[in-house]
Amino acid sequence: MRKLNLKPLAEQVLVITGGSSGIGAATGRAAARAGARVVLAGRDAAELDKVAESIRTEGGQVTTVTMDVGIEEDHHRLLQAALEAYGSVDTWVNNAGVSIFGPLQSVPIEDQRKLFETDYWGVVYGSLTAVPYLRERGGALINVGSEVSDRAIPMQGAYSAAKHAVKGFTDALRMELMHENLPVSVTLIKPGSIDTDYTRRARNYMDVEPVLPPPIYSPEAVAQAILYAAHKPQRDLYVGSAAKIMASLGHRAPGLMDALGGWLTRHQRSNVPASEGGDGLYEPGVRTATPSPSKVRRHSYYTEVNTRGKGMFWLGTGAVLLVGTALARRRH
């Protein structure tokens, strides 16, 4: 394989889709603080400008591109804008996404198709735009999946299906690039529940406002994982121990995970009646009635350990203990 040398963050140019809020905005800010030059992309020009201004206020370098990841041509325009602004691209992060809450039988097919345009095809378009450029000079392609890339959950069936598809695409692309001996690192990031506008931007077919099941982590925890993969080649990274445990149980105890479907359903339902406000499925928008989480973990110790080079022993030990505890409780 041609030698893969990822640059230090301070020498990189990063392209980040979904950059107007949440994980994308947090990643852009953290990258700029590390000295990287950042290109933020998203549909909402006003929100992108706010994030960019906050970066510039701290002395960072950033440019913005208003685009829709569900439109293939917009990705080519994004790459061209990055090259015009900074002359190169070192890391491309496909982060944009949207969800739908509600039983699959209640979600119109056209809405499910639209979700796939953003969550799956947005990743495909971005990857197939970035790779022809990166293959000539090397770099990192980072796709943001989810804990539901490994294990589907009820009430977000279409989102789970799209993130499963993202995992399949990312794994296949990685193998193909390895076979070609190309110096491109391909990483899948799999966050658990994250404190962003995710629920407020999701389309909702429940009778109450949606919430995310605990534990809930800050978007900065995901940014830490993304930026680690930008300069240290990784196959995949979970954000939050709960995400890793959920995936492990899904593989090793699928029946137990099926039995947890009721708990997962209940913990995605708030006690706030569903609002009539807009959402971000087709156009930028949020609902105002969705409650914020009462407790957010600012850091994921699991992620911190795994991004400091000594995670597997402690991670394996912790996972075994936690899975054993869960199975023991099930027996009783």
Side-chain angles (χ1 to χ4, degrees):
M1 181 175 182
R2 286 165 57 189
K3 190 172 183 181
L4 173 60
N5 288 315
L6 300 182
K7 296 179 181 177
L9 284 175
E11 300 175 14
Q12 287 203 29
V13 175
L14 281 84
V15 171
I16 305 169
T17 67
S20 62
S21 65
I23 292 169
T27 304
R29 292 188 182 102
R33 291 189 193 108
R37 291 164 290 172
V38 178
V39 182
L40 294 177
R43 293 180 300 173
D44 193 325
E47 292 301 314
L48 281 173
D49 287 343
K50 290 179 183 178
V51 177
E53 184 57 32
S54 71
I55 290 173
R56 295 187 184 108
T57 298
E58 295 184 358
Q61 298 183 66
V62 60
T63 191
T64 63
V65 177
T66 305
M67 54 92 76
D68 186 334
V69 297
I71 300 174
E72 183 176 8
E73 293 77 12
D74 278 11
H75 292 268
H76 300 295
R77 185 164 56 84
L78 173 58
L79 175 59
Q80 188 60 37
L83 296 178
E84 290 175 359
Y86 299 125
S88 65
V89 171
D90 301 289
T91 295
W92 186 291
V93 182
N94 290 309
N95 163 71
V98 67
S99 190
I100 301 172
F101 285 82
L104 279 169
Q105 296 176 78
S106 300
V107 179
I109 292 297
E110 58 267 29
D111 285 358
Q112 297 190 46
R113 288 186 182 276
K114 180 59 178 177
L115 181 147
F116 262 76
E117 285 293 332
T118 299
D119 293 14
Y120 174 69
W121 287 108
V123 170
V124 173
Y125 296 149
S127 298
L128 298 184
T129 298
V131 166
Y133 175 82
L134 294 175
R135 66 184 291 149
E136 301 301 326
R137 54 180 288 122
L141 173 69
I142 301 173
N143 293 336
V144 178
S146 168
E147 61 184 350
V148 302
S149 296
D150 292 319
R151 172 68 203 198
I153 62 173
M155 310 309 289
Q156 291 191 73
Y159 181 77
S160 296
K163 290 301 184 178
H164 270 61
V166 166
K167 180 182 186 301
F169 172 82
T170 303
D171 288 346
L173 179 61
R174 181 190 303 109
M175 289 187 287
E176 291 174 5
L177 297 183
M178 290 176 64
H179 179 70
E180 292 186 67
N181 295 323
L182 296 178
V184 181
S185 172
V186 179
T187 303
L188 183 65
I189 304 292
K190 294 184 273 192
S193 296
I194 306 298
D195 181 31
T196 67
D197 282 339
Y198 175 88
T199 52
R200 297 177 66 214
R201 297 182 187 278
R203 179 147 292 195
N204 183 31
Y205 285 97
M206 301 190 298
D207 59 342
V208 294
E209 285 293 305
V211 292
L212 291 175
I216 299 175
Y217 297 90
S218 73
E220 286 74 21
V222 189
Q224 177 183 342
I226 291 172
L227 295 183
Y228 183 76
H231 72 281
K232 296 286 187 181
Q234 302 292 309
R235 185 183 187 279
D236 50 31
L237 283 171
Y238 291 92
V239 180
S241 57
K244 175 62 176 179
I245 292 167
M246 178 175 167
S248 297
L249 285 175
H251 288 302
R252 299 181 181 277
L256 174 60
M257 282 303 299
D258 288 348
L260 289 175
W263 184 93
L264 287 166
T265 297
R266 292 192 299 275
H267 283 81
Q268 292 179 88
R269 293 173 55 85
S270 72
N271 57 6
V272 177
S275 67
E276 299 296 328
D279 56 60
L281 183 59
Y282 290 91
E283 300 290 340
V286 297
R287 293 188 314 282
T288 58
T290 304
S292 299
S294 58
K295 182 179 180 181
V296 175
R297 300 186 181 188
R298 305 308 303 172
H299 303 281
S300 164
Y301 294 110
Y302 169 91
T303 304
E304 288 183 357
V305 168
N306 275 272
T307 55
R308 281 167 172 75
K310 48 186 176 182
M312 295 314 297
F313 172 79
W314 295 111
L315 177 56
T317 301
V320 168
L321 290 173
L322 287 167
V323 170
T325 300
L327 292 174
R329 288 177 177 172
R330 184 190 180 198
R331 295 191 186 100
H332 294 289

